Structure formats: structure tokens, C-alpha cells
């Protein structure tokens, strides 16, 4: 295939700033959906539709019929995370640029580059050998509600023999992976109100409650210094991975020192120290504070006691925890830890249950073979720290959901200078092309 042409096409997709959580980009999300729809039509899909009543549609399509061949559902998302902080990008997030064999742009790896890879692998294969179905959504980055509701109403939309979700990465360069677990997510805003309005910090300071101080105290009650999350009942259902799984992780090319120095680039790691870093990343739940607002944050100085403060937080969930229970536990913990003189409230924004995938379906062996042929190594089983809310629903009809991807661990998803190595893209197209072939042959 003509790589220059492919790059030009991918650039077009990446130039669309389809940030799903920012209403100012609603039209851009629509444009990205149109881009996907046009690609599906070019692949000969019939029935290309925009589905869902919410603002960013799910693009669905049905590939040319191949009688007797299996049905393969391809999932991906055309929405991206906000690009800020903008001044930390080497080149602007929506002006794709190649440096040193790497393509830099918001969405390069998460997930436009991977959607592109799945689609171009079909084109590369010539006449399809399987019955393709597509669900490419535009709200993954804020909870996938539209696709969730759609699949609840019309579960047959996910009916397939096999589903592929390419929204992940290799575990290391040269080490492709399939994932047996995704963490779930519980995203919330905790708001603390301490008075009717802000107060002069001289007139009232010393006797009036301060919303930021109360919020800070509440947050440290929820998670202590050693990394333990103190939401009552939270760890109840959490199980340690089997000794076999832990032993397998030890064989992966993952070094804690390198992870700190090259990827985290901080002075030290945190969390529950008695567990390995991989266990903390893949098998334990988390509590993170994303941002705190309220009070005075403008230029200069203002002496005021804030009456309200809000923290955006999220918890990652692991198997056997459920979003519903965790929401209840968090609401109860906030109530319990907030002192009587403050009004604390919790608003849940979105979330997802954790997903667990068994690798016993023969399609996993075909993908393993395709990777082995193209990149020289098969897939290793791994877990993922991130979440893809709709995965449990995609598998509800019984199809095995293959969680894989062509990214690398240092792609900087959601961060400045997100990138995709071009070698990963070209290899990826060859891998999926081969996988479609093998699946079609029933090999
Ligand atoms: N592609 C990621 C999920 C992911 C990241 C899986 C890293 C495996 C490794 C996805 O686009 C994502 O970012 N999901 C969000 C979901 C949330 C906004 C509901 C996440 O995990 O924060
Ligand atoms: Mn993604
Ligand atoms: Mn993402």
C-alpha cells in the first residue's frame, strides 16, 4: 500500500479536534463521525448509520456479505481527550507531525490511529473474507453512555462471532499483548460547602470554616499516606492474582526502575509498597484526585475564606468490585468523614464496571499467529490499568472480546506529545490483515 497516501488520510482524521467532553467541539465530533462513515462506505459497507440519541453518534456499518464466513465486530472510538496543557506539546496536538519515525498528535494512539489501522487492514486484504460489523463510537472518553444505552435497547448490534477492541498497547516494544482484564472506573465530584458565601479572611479567619481546608482533610481521610483507600468495604471483594499469573508477570520485560525513570519521570513511586508495581497498576483499585476548584485562583492576592470547594476524583475498580456498590460506598464514606459543620455532596459523572476476558476461544490463537508471523512474537496475556466502559456489554452476547492494540507503553495517552510509532502502524495493518484472513479461513 502507498504509505504516503495512508499517512495523508490519517492526518485528515487526526486534524479533526473531536474532543467529546467539551461542548465547543460538538461539530468536530460530528466531522470525525462523518470521516469514519465515509471510510466505511469506501470499504463497501451497507447500512452505514449514525446511532444513538446523545450528541456524539455511534457510527455503525455492515461490511459486504461473505456467506458462510464468521462475523467479526470491530470496535473503536473517534473521540479524543482534551489536549491541554497546550504549551507542553512540541507541535500542536491537531497538526500531526512525524519526527524520528513517530507520529505526534492527539488521538494518534488513542484511538484514531488504531481505528485507522483496523480499517486499512481491510482495504489491504482486498475482498473481505469475514462479515465485518463496525461500532465506532464518539463518547468513549466520557463513559460511553450512548453506546451503552444503544446496546441495552438493541443488543443484536453487538452480535458477532468475535469482537476486536484495538485500543490498547504492546506491553513493551516487540511484545504484543492480549488483555485478560480492564479496570473499571467510578468518576465523581466531591463538593464541600462551609458557609453561605465567601468571607473576609481577616474579619472571620480563626473562627469560620474554610471549604478548601475541609475538602483537603476529607480527601486525606479517604486515602492515607501509604496509598490505602479508606472507603469502608472498598477492598472487600478484591482478590490477589493467582500465583501463576504473578509468576507470568515476572517474565514480562518490565523493570520498576525503568518505569520510574523513563515513563513516570518522577522522583519516586507511591502506592501500597508491599505489592509489586505491576500488581498496583493492574490488580489493585485506585483513588486519584484530578483537580480541585473553588476559592481564589486568579492573578495577584485576595484575602478570602472560600465557602465552596470541589474535587474531581476517580477510583479504578478491579474484578468483583462493581460501579454501583462503589458509588454507594464512596457516598457513605464522604458523609461519614465530613464534619458536622460542612455540607459535603458527591455527584457521580460516569463510570464502568471492570471487565474480565477468558482467552480460550480459538480466535485468540489466530491473532497470536498473525502477530507471530508479522512481528516475530506472539501475544502475551496481560492486564490493563485503563478502562473501556463498553467492553462488558460488547461481550454480553457471548462473543469473545479480543482486547489488543498496536500502541506502545510510552505513547503518552491523554498527555502532551501523544504519539504512535509508524512501525507499529505498518506492522499493525499487516497483523490485522493476516488475522482477518486466518479468521475467514477458519484456520
Ligand atoms: N484506550 C483507553 C483505555 C486504556 C488505556 C486501556 C491504557 C488500556 C491501557 C481509553 O480510551 C480510555 O482512556 N478510557 C478512559 C475511560 C473513561 C474516560 C471512562 C480511561 O481509562 O480513563
Ligand atoms: Mn482509547
Ligand atoms: Mn483514552
Amino acid at each position: 500500500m502507498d504509505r504516503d497516501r495512508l499517512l495523508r488520510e490519517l492526518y485528515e482524521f487526526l486534524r479533526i479536534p473531536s474532543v467529546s467532553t467539551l461542548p465547543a467541539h460538538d461539530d468536530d465530533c460530528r466531522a470525525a463521525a462523518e470521516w469514519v462513515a465515509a471510510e466505511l462506505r469506501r470499504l463497501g459497507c451497507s447500512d452505514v448509520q449514525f446511532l444513538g440519541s446523545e450528541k456524539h453518534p455511534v457510527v455503525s456499518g455492515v461490511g459486504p456479505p461473505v456467506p458462510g464466513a464468521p462475523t467479526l465486530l470491530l470496535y473503536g472510538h473517534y473521540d479524543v481527550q482534551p489536549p491541554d496543557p497546550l504549551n507542553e506539546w512540541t507541535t500542536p496536538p491537531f497538526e500531526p507531525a512525524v519526527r524520528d519515525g513517530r507520529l505526534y498528535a492527539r488521538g494518534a494512539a488513542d484511538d484514531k490511529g488504531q481505528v485507522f489501522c483496523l480499517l486499512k487492514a481491510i482495504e489491504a486484504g482486498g475482498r473481505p473474507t469475514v462479515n465485518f460489523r463496525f461500532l465506532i463510537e464518539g463518547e468513549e472518553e466520557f463513559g460511553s453512555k450512548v453506546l451503552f444505552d444503544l446496546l441495552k435497547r438493541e443488543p443484536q448490534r453487538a452480535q458477532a462471532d468475535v469482537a476486536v477492541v484495538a485500543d490498547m498497547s504492546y506491553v513493551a516494544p516487540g511484545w504484543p499483548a492480549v488483555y485478560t482484564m480492564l479496570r473499571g472506573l467510578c468518576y465523581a465530584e466531591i463538593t464541600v460547602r462551609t458557609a453561605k458565601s465567601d468571607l473576609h479572611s481577616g474579619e472571620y479567619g480563626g473562627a469560620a470554616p474554610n471549604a478548601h481546608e475541609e475538602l483537603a482533610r476529607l480527601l486525606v481521610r479517604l486515602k492515607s499516606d501509604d496509598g490505602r483507600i479508606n472507603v469502608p468495604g472498598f477492598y472487600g471483594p478484591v482478590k490477589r492474582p493467582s500465583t501463576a499469573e504473578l509468576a507470568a508477570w515476572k517474565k514480562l520485560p518490565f523493570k520498576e526502575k525503568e518505569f520510574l525513570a523513563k515513563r513516570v519521570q518522577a522522583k519516586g513511586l507511591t502506592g501500597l509498597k508491599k505489592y509489586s508495581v505491576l500488581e498496583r497498576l493492574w490488580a489493585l483499585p485506585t483513588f486519584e484526585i484530578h483537580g480541585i476548584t473553588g476559592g481564589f485562583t486568579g492573578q495577584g492576592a485576595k484575602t478570602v475564606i472560600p465557602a465552596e470547594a470541589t474535587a474531581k476524583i476517580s477510583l479504578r475498580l478491579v474484578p468483583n468490585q462493581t460501579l454501583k456498590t462503589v458509588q454507594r460506598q464512596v457516598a457513605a464514606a464522604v458523609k461519614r468523614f465530613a464534619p458536622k459543620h460542612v455540607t459535603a455532596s458527591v455527584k457521580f459523572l460516569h463510570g464502568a464496571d471492570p471487565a474480565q476476558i477468558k482467552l480460550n476461544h480459538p480466535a485468540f490463537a489466530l491473532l497470536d499467529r498473525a502477530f507471530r508471523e508479522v512481528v516475530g512474537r506472539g501475544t502475551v496475556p496481560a492486564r490493563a490499568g485503563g478502562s473501556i466502559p463498553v467492553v462488558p456489554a460488547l461481550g454480553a452476547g457471548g462473543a469473545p472480546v479480543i482486547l489488543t492494540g498496536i500502541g506502545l507503553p510510552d505513547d503518552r495517552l491523554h498527555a502532551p506529545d501523544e504519539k504512535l510509532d509508524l512501525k507499529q502502524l505498518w506492522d499493525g495493518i499487516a497483523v490485522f490483515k493476516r488475522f482477518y484472513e486466518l479468521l475467514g479461513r477458519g484456520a
Side-chain angles (χ1 to χ4, degrees):
M1 287 176 108
D2 176 354
R3 289 185 174 178
D4 288 337
R5 172 184 59 94
L6 288 179
L7 269 188
R8 274 198 307 278
E9 290 178 8
L10 178 53
Y11 276 26
E12 250 179 59
F13 193 22
L14 292 171
R15 275 195 202 105
I16 307 169
S18 47
V19 182
S20 54
T21 59
L22 303 176
H25 288 287
D26 284 0
D27 290 348
D28 298 314
C29 290
R30 173 60 58 145
E34 296 284 4
W35 188 94
V36 173
E39 280 299 302
L40 295 187
R41 284 189 207 102
R42 268 211 281 175
L43 286 170
C45 287
S46 58
D47 212 13
V48 177
Q49 289 187 56
F50 286 0
L51 301 173
S53 51
E54 315 279 315
K55 43 189 190 181
H56 310 314
V58 177
V59 186
S60 94
V62 176
V66 186
T71 298
L72 174 62
L73 173 68
L74 299 181
Y75 165 88
H77 61 94
Y78 63 78
D79 63 324
V80 298
Q81 288 264 332
D84 54 280
L86 285 174
N87 61 349
E88 290 182 23
W89 285 77
T90 309
T91 46
F94 298 108
E95 293 174 27
V98 173
R99 289 188 295 280
D100 234 0
R102 300 187 170 115
L103 171 57
Y104 291 86
R106 169 59 85 237
D110 185 13
D111 181 37
K112 285 175 174 171
Q114 305 214 47
V115 168
F116 186 83
C117 181
L118 291 176
L119 299 180
K120 292 303 162 183
I122 300 175
E123 196 181 305
R127 194 200 297 222
T129 52
V130 296
N131 291 289
F132 287 104
R133 294 274 184 290
F134 303 89
L135 288 174
I136 312 294
E137 68 154 319
E139 293 190 4
E140 195 278 339
E141 299 291 8
F142 80 109
S144 296
K145 190 174 176 304
V146 56
L147 184 50
F148 241 94
D149 292 349
L150 176 72
L151 292 180
K152 209 177 275 166
R153 279 196 317 271
E154 304 175 46
Q156 76 281 5
R157 297 264 179 205
Q159 202 133 64
D161 296 300
V162 178
V164 166
V165 174
D167 193 17
M168 332 279 291
S169 70
Y170 287 23
V171 291
W175 288 72
V178 286
Y179 291 82
T180 60
M181 196 215 71
L182 287 170
R183 287 197 285 199
L185 185 72
C186 170
Y187 203 110
E189 286 173 356
I190 301 177
T191 297
V192 160
R193 180 103 213 164
T194 49
K196 188 155 181 296
S197 69
D198 292 359
L199 298 166
H200 189 291
S201 67
E203 262 185 308
Y204 298 94
N210 179 310
H212 268 273
E213 182 186 325
E214 299 293 354
L215 178 63
R217 246 195 304 273
L218 176 57
L219 292 172
V220 299
R221 285 190 191 114
L222 289 168
K223 179 176 167 184
S224 42
D225 286 13
D226 62 358
R228 202 183 147 76
I229 299 155
N230 294 314
V231 173
F234 186 65
Y235 286 104
V238 178
K239 284 207 190 70
R240 290 201 71 187
S242 68
T243 43
E245 192 171 10
L246 289 172
W249 292 354
K250 284 221 172 100
K251 297 205 184 100
L252 296 177
F254 177 88
K255 298 202 180 59
E256 296 190 0
K257 273 210 178 109
E258 200 181 291
F259 174 75
L260 170 62
K262 297 244 175 75
R263 289 185 46 205
V264 182
Q265 302 185 11
K267 287 186 182 156
L269 297 177
T270 55
L272 294 169
K273 294 276 162 60
K274 68 173 183 178
Y275 302 98
S276 73
V277 170
L278 278 187
E279 198 170 347
R280 280 182 259 160
L281 295 174
W282 288 353
L284 283 163
T286 68
F287 176 103
E288 296 295 340
I289 301 165
H290 304 294
I292 298 180
T293 54
F296 179 70
T297 55
Q299 276 202 341
K302 178 184 179 190
T303 47
V304 76
I305 299 176
E308 190 176 273
T310 297
K312 287 183 187 282
I313 63 118
S314 76
L315 303 100
R316 295 276 168 180
L317 317 182
V318 297
N320 302 314
Q321 292 184 304
T322 64
L323 173 60
K324 238 172 139 186
T325 305
V326 167
Q327 285 179 335
R328 227 181 300 121
Q329 290 169 335
V330 169
V334 166
K335 218 173 187 181
R336 174 162 158 187
F337 293 149
K340 290 255 162 1
H341 60 271
V342 317
T343 309
S345 56
V346 185
K347 183 178 163 198
F348 294 103
L349 300 192
H350 64 58
D353 283 325
Q356 265 183 297
I357 308 281
K358 287 201 186 71
L359 307 182
N360 49 7
H361 189 280
F364 289 95
L366 300 181
L367 183 70
D368 178 74
R369 183 168 152 198
F371 269 111
R372 205 178 291 277
E373 287 178 14
V374 175
V375 304
R377 198 190 315 264
T379 53
V380 288
R383 296 194 189 191
S387 313
I388 302 174
V390 84
V391 164
L394 283 180
V401 182
I402 303 184
L403 299 171
T404 188
I406 58 153
L408 288 176
D410 66 350
D411 283 344
R412 288 181 294 276
L413 315 182
H414 299 191
D417 281 349
E418 176 182 349
K419 59 91 177 160
L420 178 66
D421 288 45
L422 288 178
K423 177 178 171 8
Q424 297 295 115
L425 176 63
W426 309 136
D427 281 357
I429 291 175
V431 167
F432 287 116
K433 173 183 174 232
R434 184 70 180 130
F435 173 67
Y436 302 157
E437 248 168 44
L438 292 169
L439 189 68
R441 269 210 236 143

